[in-house]
mmCIF file of all heavy atoms in Angstrom:
data_model
loop_
_atom_site.group_PDB
_atom_site.id
_atom_site.type_symbol
_atom_site.label_atom_id
_atom_site.label_comp_id
_atom_site.label_asym_id
_atom_site.label_seq_id
_atom_site.Cartn_x
_atom_site.Cartn_y
_atom_site.Cartn_z
ATOM 1 N N VAL A 63 6.253 -6.170 2.913
ATOM 2 C CA VAL A 63 6.706 -7.086 3.963
ATOM 3 C C VAL A 63 7.386 -6.295 5.067
ATOM 4 O O VAL A 63 8.047 -5.295 4.815
ATOM 5 C CB VAL A 63 7.682 -8.169 3.430
ATOM 6 C CG1 VAL A 63 6.986 -9.098 2.471
ATOM 7 C CG2 VAL A 63 8.907 -7.560 2.797
ATOM 8 N N LYS A 64 7.187 -6.758 6.307
ATOM 9 C CA LYS A 64 7.844 -6.143 7.460
ATOM 10 C C LYS A 64 8.855 -7.158 7.967
ATOM 11 O O LYS A 64 8.480 -8.194 8.522
ATOM 12 C CB LYS A 64 6.833 -5.783 8.546
ATOM 13 C CG LYS A 64 7.435 -4.964 9.665
ATOM 14 C CD LYS A 64 6.352 -4.506 10.621
ATOM 15 C CE LYS A 64 6.931 -3.588 11.678
ATOM 16 N NZ LYS A 64 5.890 -3.115 12.595
ATOM 17 N N VAL A 65 10.126 -6.872 7.727
ATOM 18 C CA VAL A 65 11.183 -7.831 8.034
ATOM 19 C C VAL A 65 12.353 -7.174 8.751
ATOM 20 O O VAL A 65 12.544 -5.969 8.684
ATOM 21 C CB VAL A 65 11.709 -8.519 6.746
ATOM 22 C CG1 VAL A 65 10.645 -9.377 6.096
ATOM 23 C CG2 VAL A 65 12.254 -7.505 5.756
ATOM 24 N N SER A 66 13.123 -8.026 9.408
ATOM 25 C CA SER A 66 14.399 -7.608 9.990
ATOM 26 C C SER A 66 15.500 -8.098 9.048
ATOM 27 O O SER A 66 15.215 -8.745 8.031
ATOM 28 C CB SER A 66 14.570 -8.237 11.372
ATOM 29 O OG SER A 66 14.728 -9.635 11.245
ATOM 30 N N GLU A 67 16.737 -7.832 9.410
ATOM 31 C CA GLU A 67 17.856 -8.323 8.599
ATOM 32 C C GLU A 67 17.833 -9.842 8.502
ATOM 33 O O GLU A 67 18.256 -10.406 7.504
ATOM 34 C CB GLU A 67 19.183 -7.869 9.198
ATOM 35 C CG GLU A 67 19.429 -6.387 9.073
ATOM 36 C CD GLU A 67 20.719 -5.959 9.748
ATOM 37 O OE1 GLU A 67 21.633 -6.804 9.902
ATOM 38 O OE2 GLU A 67 20.813 -4.781 10.113
ATOM 39 N N ARG A 68 17.325 -10.500 9.527
ATOM 40 C CA ARG A 68 17.297 -11.963 9.567
ATOM 41 C C ARG A 68 16.399 -12.546 8.475
ATOM 42 O O ARG A 68 16.750 -13.507 7.808
ATOM 43 C CB ARG A 68 16.829 -12.445 10.937
ATOM 44 C CG ARG A 68 16.861 -13.958 11.082
ATOM 45 C CD ARG A 68 16.418 -14.395 12.447
ATOM 46 N NE ARG A 68 17.357 -13.912 13.450
ATOM 47 C CZ ARG A 68 17.087 -13.851 14.739
ATOM 48 N NH1 ARG A 68 15.907 -14.218 15.193
ATOM 49 N NH2 ARG A 68 17.982 -13.413 15.592
ATOM 50 N N GLU A 69 15.194 -11.956 8.275
ATOM 51 C CA GLU A 69 14.254 -12.484 7.273
ATOM 52 C C GLU A 69 14.439 -11.880 5.879
ATOM 53 O O GLU A 69 13.859 -12.370 4.921
ATOM 54 C CB GLU A 69 12.802 -12.215 7.696
ATOM 55 C CG GLU A 69 12.362 -12.908 8.932
ATOM 56 C CD GLU A 69 12.342 -11.976 10.131
ATOM 57 O OE1 GLU A 69 12.786 -10.817 10.018
ATOM 58 O OE2 GLU A 69 11.893 -12.417 11.184
ATOM 59 N N TYR A 70 15.247 -10.855 5.782
ATOM 60 C CA TYR A 70 15.402 -10.096 4.544
ATOM 61 C C TYR A 70 15.647 -11.004 3.335
ATOM 62 O O TYR A 70 14.982 -10.897 2.309
ATOM 63 C CB TYR A 70 16.543 -9.086 4.712
ATOM 64 C CG TYR A 70 16.766 -8.180 3.542
ATOM 65 C CD1 TYR A 70 16.059 -6.989 3.414
ATOM 66 C CD2 TYR A 70 17.698 -8.501 2.553
ATOM 67 C CE1 TYR A 70 16.280 -6.144 2.332
ATOM 68 C CE2 TYR A 70 17.915 -7.657 1.473
ATOM 69 C CZ TYR A 70 17.201 -6.488 1.374
ATOM 70 O OH TYR A 70 17.407 -5.650 0.311
ATOM 71 N N TYR A 71 16.589 -11.913 3.449
ATOM 72 C CA TYR A 71 16.932 -12.783 2.317
ATOM 73 C C TYR A 71 15.992 -13.974 2.189
ATOM 74 O O TYR A 71 15.803 -14.496 1.090
ATOM 75 C CB TYR A 71 18.392 -13.235 2.410
ATOM 76 C CG TYR A 71 19.336 -12.075 2.223
ATOM 77 C CD1 TYR A 71 19.983 -11.492 3.305
ATOM 78 C CD2 TYR A 71 19.541 -11.515 0.970
ATOM 79 C CE1 TYR A 71 20.816 -10.405 3.149
ATOM 80 C CE2 TYR A 71 20.366 -10.420 0.789
ATOM 81 C CZ TYR A 71 21.012 -9.876 1.880
ATOM 82 O OH TYR A 71 21.834 -8.783 1.719
ATOM 83 N N ASP A 72 15.364 -14.391 3.291
ATOM 84 C CA ASP A 72 14.388 -15.483 3.218
ATOM 85 C C ASP A 72 13.219 -15.098 2.313
ATOM 86 O O ASP A 72 12.720 -15.925 1.552
ATOM 87 C CB ASP A 72 13.842 -15.819 4.615
ATOM 88 C CG ASP A 72 14.885 -16.456 5.504
ATOM 89 O OD1 ASP A 72 15.883 -16.977 4.965
ATOM 90 O OD2 ASP A 72 14.698 -16.430 6.733
ATOM 91 N N VAL A 73 12.795 -13.852 2.401
ATOM 92 C CA VAL A 73 11.660 -13.383 1.617
ATOM 93 C C VAL A 73 11.983 -13.416 0.129
ATOM 94 O O VAL A 73 11.196 -13.903 -0.684
ATOM 95 C CB VAL A 73 11.253 -11.949 2.047
ATOM 96 C CG1 VAL A 73 10.264 -11.342 1.086
ATOM 97 C CG2 VAL A 73 10.691 -11.964 3.457
ATOM 98 N N ILE A 74 13.134 -12.922 -0.247
ATOM 99 C CA ILE A 74 13.474 -12.817 -1.664
ATOM 100 C C ILE A 74 13.758 -14.179 -2.293
ATOM 101 O O ILE A 74 13.715 -14.335 -3.507
ATOM 102 C CB ILE A 74 14.650 -11.826 -1.874
ATOM 103 C CG1 ILE A 74 14.622 -11.236 -3.280
ATOM 104 C CG2 ILE A 74 15.972 -12.450 -1.565
ATOM 105 C CD1 ILE A 74 13.406 -10.414 -3.572
ATOM 106 N N ASN A 75 14.011 -15.195 -1.469
ATOM 107 C CA ASN A 75 14.267 -16.536 -1.988
ATOM 108 C C ASN A 75 12.991 -17.299 -2.326
ATOM 109 O O ASN A 75 13.065 -18.452 -2.738
ATOM 110 C CB ASN A 75 15.125 -17.334 -1.008
ATOM 111 C CG ASN A 75 16.552 -16.835 -1.005
ATOM 112 O OD1 ASN A 75 17.059 -16.370 -2.011
ATOM 113 N ND2 ASN A 75 17.195 -16.910 0.148
ATOM 114 N N SER A 76 11.852 -16.679 -2.173
ATOM 115 C CA SER A 76 10.590 -17.310 -2.553
ATOM 116 C C SER A 76 10.520 -17.434 -4.077
ATOM 117 O O SER A 76 11.061 -16.602 -4.810
ATOM 118 C CB SER A 76 9.417 -16.458 -2.069
ATOM 119 O OG SER A 76 8.235 -16.861 -2.707
ATOM 120 N N SER A 77 9.827 -18.441 -4.544
ATOM 121 C CA SER A 77 9.706 -18.635 -5.996
ATOM 122 C C SER A 77 8.817 -17.578 -6.659
ATOM 123 O O SER A 77 8.845 -17.426 -7.875
ATOM 124 C CB SER A 77 9.173 -20.033 -6.297
ATOM 125 O OG SER A 77 7.944 -20.237 -5.643
ATOM 126 N N PHE A 78 8.025 -16.837 -5.865
ATOM 127 C CA PHE A 78 7.131 -15.829 -6.427
ATOM 128 C C PHE A 78 7.666 -14.403 -6.296
ATOM 129 O O PHE A 78 7.085 -13.479 -6.847
ATOM 130 C CB PHE A 78 5.751 -15.911 -5.766
ATOM 131 C CG PHE A 78 5.116 -17.262 -5.895
ATOM 132 C CD1 PHE A 78 4.960 -18.077 -4.785
ATOM 133 C CD2 PHE A 78 4.703 -17.738 -7.121
ATOM 134 C CE1 PHE A 78 4.383 -19.322 -4.894
ATOM 135 C CE2 PHE A 78 4.122 -18.987 -7.245
ATOM 136 C CZ PHE A 78 3.968 -19.787 -6.129
ATOM 137 N N ALA A 79 8.762 -14.214 -5.566
ATOM 138 C CA ALA A 79 9.348 -12.890 -5.382
ATOM 139 C C ALA A 79 10.407 -12.644 -6.458
ATOM 140 O O ALA A 79 11.160 -13.548 -6.821
ATOM 141 C CB ALA A 79 9.977 -12.770 -4.005
#
Side-chain angles (χ1 to χ4, degrees):
V63 294
K64 188 173 185 179
V65 295
S66 68
E67 290 177 24
R68 184 179 296 163
E69 295 102 354
Y70 183 87
Y71 293 103
D72 291 340
V73 169
I74 205 63
N75 288 328
S76 165
S77 56
F78 303 111

